[in-house]
Amino acid sequence: MGRLCQTDGLTEDQSEILKAVRQFVDEKILPVASELEHKDEYPTEIVEGLKELGIFGLMIPEEYDGLGESLLTYALCVEEIARGWMSVSGVINTHFIVAYMLMQHGTEEQKRKYLPRMATGEVRGSFSMSEPGLGSDVAAIKTKAARGDDGDYTINGQKMWLTNGGSSTLIAVLVKTDEGADSVYKNMTTFLVEKEPGFGETAPGLTIPGKIDKMGYKGVDTTEAVFENHQIAAEQILGGEPGKGFYQMMDGVEVGRVNVAARACGIANRAFELGVAYSQQRETFGKPIAEHQAILFRLAEMATKVETAHTMMVRAARTKDKGERNDVEAGMAKMLASEYCNEVVEASFRIHGGYGYSKEYEIERLYRESAFMLIGEGTSDIQKMIIGRSVLKDYKLKG
């Protein structure tokens, strides 16, 4: 890892966890990442290794058989994993968001039913807000859950962009329910939908059509989910009370944005490492290109961006760990980390020259992966809206 992105103030346990994850990345992920990515092959052996490390239960409390670690610990682990292969961090990201939502909003019965098996990776989570006709405009969702005379519900609609949609066995899905509230945001409910892993009809009335073919972010399964008269009990409402879904999802998205910031930091760190290494190996005009001022300045800018993004990500995680709302900090971290990630990857790509365009070189994969960081968990424009509104609120003119 070099000297960049060292975090002060970690406990001995945190340091040991990070050391174990870093070793796993170096030994089990980096050697196979590009091959699996080019094949769009699910990283089964890597996932099994992450289960053994306890990564799936990293933030789940010990009373539910998890490790009980902080968001900061999780984010630093994600940064390491994304440094190896961003898709692997995606395998655990939505699982982690669903577990977090259960911890914060689930009934005690729901927690005891799911969290111990989520900690081991036996139950794998995915979550769903987006639909084919919308992305950031959550209020416009059309998937509905109608309540029957018996108090249970029937879900109909189509959801989009489910990471782990095929491999998951539990989907936290946001739908519209008619609670009679004036605000559309109070007429949304999160359901915990159980399914079988795989594609096709994975539960009665629920079809996962297949993987969406993507430019990057390969290996991990990204899918649609089609609900056609899917019957679900009222007890599967997250927290047991309808009408709370939007706020539950937004709480999950806040920690999800810290996660995406961490993933962007990991990609940027790896691109920086590759750029530094290549610049010392490649020679022009009788000396390594690292000794040319143009390349030296580029490396300096890359290092500064990597370190700055990492610092913002750590701040956002620590804010949430203190029990404070971190929507602004998470938005800042996500925006900065994703934009800097793209800039650092492109700079490393330029350092590699023509070889960077070859699939034999790792930077080609990072170049495609970094683009996803700009849109995952909300675009930079969405983050700017969140940040800007907070600025106006905090600095409102008096009189």
Side-chain angles (χ1 to χ4, degrees):
M1 280 269 294
R3 295 167 56 191
L4 290 185
C5 298
Q6 301 302 309
T7 303
D8 297 327
L10 296 182
T11 66
E12 185 176 343
D13 284 346
Q14 287 175 316
S15 297
E16 286 301 312
I17 290 171
L18 280 178
K19 181 180 178 181
V21 172
R22 186 175 302 143
Q23 182 177 353
F24 182 82
V25 168
D26 288 341
E27 295 179 359
K28 303 296 183 180
I29 298 181
L30 279 172
V32 299
S34 289
E35 179 183 356
L36 292 177
E37 198 271 349
H38 291 158
K39 293 179 180 178
D40 197 8
E41 183 176 328
Y42 189 81
T44 302
E45 291 186 14
I46 293 173
V47 169
E48 291 303 313
L50 292 176
K51 288 180 182 179
E52 293 178 12
L53 284 174
I55 297 299
F56 283 93
L58 198 59
M59 279 187 67
I60 294 174
E62 293 180 2
E63 63 180 301
Y64 302 110
D65 301 334
L67 297 181
E69 277 294 336
S70 64
L71 177 59
L72 175 62
T73 308
Y74 180 83
L76 294 174
C77 288
V78 166
E79 183 180 30
E80 291 288 348
I81 293 168
R83 172 180 157 264
W85 183 14
M86 189 273 289
S87 291
V88 177
S89 64
V91 169
I92 59 174
N93 176 35
T94 53
H95 174 89
F96 143 77
I97 292 175
V98 176
Y100 174 83
M101 290 169 63
L102 273 163
M103 290 186 291
Q104 297 298 315
H105 306 288
T107 65
E108 186 59 32
E109 182 180 356
Q110 289 169 345
K111 292 176 185 178
R112 297 202 175 278
K113 180 179 180 181
Y114 294 117
L115 289 178
R117 291 185 295 148
M118 292 187 80
T120 61
E122 177 188 349
V123 169
R124 300 274 300 283
S126 62
F127 88 118
S128 175
M129 291 193 297
S130 295
E131 297 184 3
L134 64 97
S136 301
D137 186 11
V138 180
I141 64 172
K142 296 180 180 179
T143 301
K144 293 182 179 180
R147 189 185 330 209
D149 294 337
D150 58 358
D152 291 339
Y153 290 80
T154 302
I155 300 177
N156 281 285
Q158 186 176 1
K159 308 299 281 188
M160 191 74 173
W161 304 118
L162 281 76
T163 301
N164 295 325
S167 54
S168 63
T169 55
L170 183 68
I171 305 175
V173 59
L174 184 67
V175 302
K176 280 190 174 178
T177 48
D178 185 8
E179 307 308 323
D182 294 334
S183 170
V184 65
Y185 298 105
K186 295 181 180 179
N187 286 288
M188 298 184 188
T189 300
T190 301
F191 281 90
L192 300 171
V193 177
E194 296 183 3
K195 59 179 279 293
E196 292 296 320
F199 302 97
E201 189 172 21
T202 57
L206 171 58
T207 300
I208 306 296
K211 293 199 301 183
I212 297 170
D213 192 15
K214 309 181 296 291
M215 177 178 77
Y217 196 25
K218 294 182 178 291
V220 63
D221 47 300
T222 305
T223 74
E224 299 175 66
V226 181
F227 292 90
E228 295 179 296
N229 295 322
H230 177 74
Q231 307 295 311
I232 190 164
E235 65 187 29
Q236 292 302 109
I237 293 174
L238 179 62
E241 184 179 353
K244 304 290 186 182
F246 176 79
Y247 306 99
Q248 295 165 346
M249 282 281 178
M250 290 304 104
D251 190 22
V253 165
E254 281 185 17
V255 292
R257 283 176 179 152
V258 174
N259 180 288
V260 173
R263 293 159 76 180
C265 288
I267 295 173
N269 206 331
R270 182 59 180 167
F272 172 74
E273 290 175 351
L274 294 172
V276 171
Y278 187 82
S279 70
Q280 294 177 83
Q281 297 164 2
R282 175 70 166 170
E283 292 189 0
T284 61
F285 305 103
K287 60 182 179 181
I289 61 174
E291 296 181 18
H292 294 291
Q293 188 179 72
I295 300 298
L296 195 64
F297 282 10
R298 185 165 284 163
L299 293 174
E301 292 175 358
M302 293 164 68
T304 303
K305 289 174 181 177
V306 168
E307 192 67 47
T308 302
H310 171 84
T311 301
M312 288 292 291
M313 179 270 291
V314 168
R315 176 174 177 248
R318 282 184 162 149
T319 299
K320 193 73 171 181
D321 282 335
K322 289 188 291 186
E324 300 174 9
R325 185 173 177 178
N326 79 333
D327 55 335
V328 174
E329 289 82 359
M332 287 180 172
K334 195 276 171 182
M335 180 183 73
L336 191 75
S338 62
E339 295 289 348
Y340 276 1
C341 172
N342 271 261
E343 292 172 15
V344 169
V345 169
E346 181 166 345
S348 183
F349 178 81
R350 289 172 183 259
I351 288 171
H352 280 75
Y355 287 108
Y357 208 64
S358 167
K359 287 194 173 185
E360 294 181 13
Y361 281 74
E362 192 177 338
I363 191 64
E364 177 271 342
R365 169 170 61 83
L366 301 184
Y367 196 86
R368 288 182 289 104
E369 290 177 340
S370 63
F372 178 70
M373 298 296 94
L374 295 171
I375 55 176
E377 305 295 0
T379 65
S380 290
D381 290 337
I382 290 294
Q383 312 311 321
K384 289 174 185 177
M385 289 177 63
I386 295 169
I387 299 163
R389 287 169 179 168
S390 176
V391 168
L392 290 180
K393 181 179 178 182
D394 292 343
Y395 293 88
K396 189 173 182 179
L397 291 176
K398 305 293 183 181

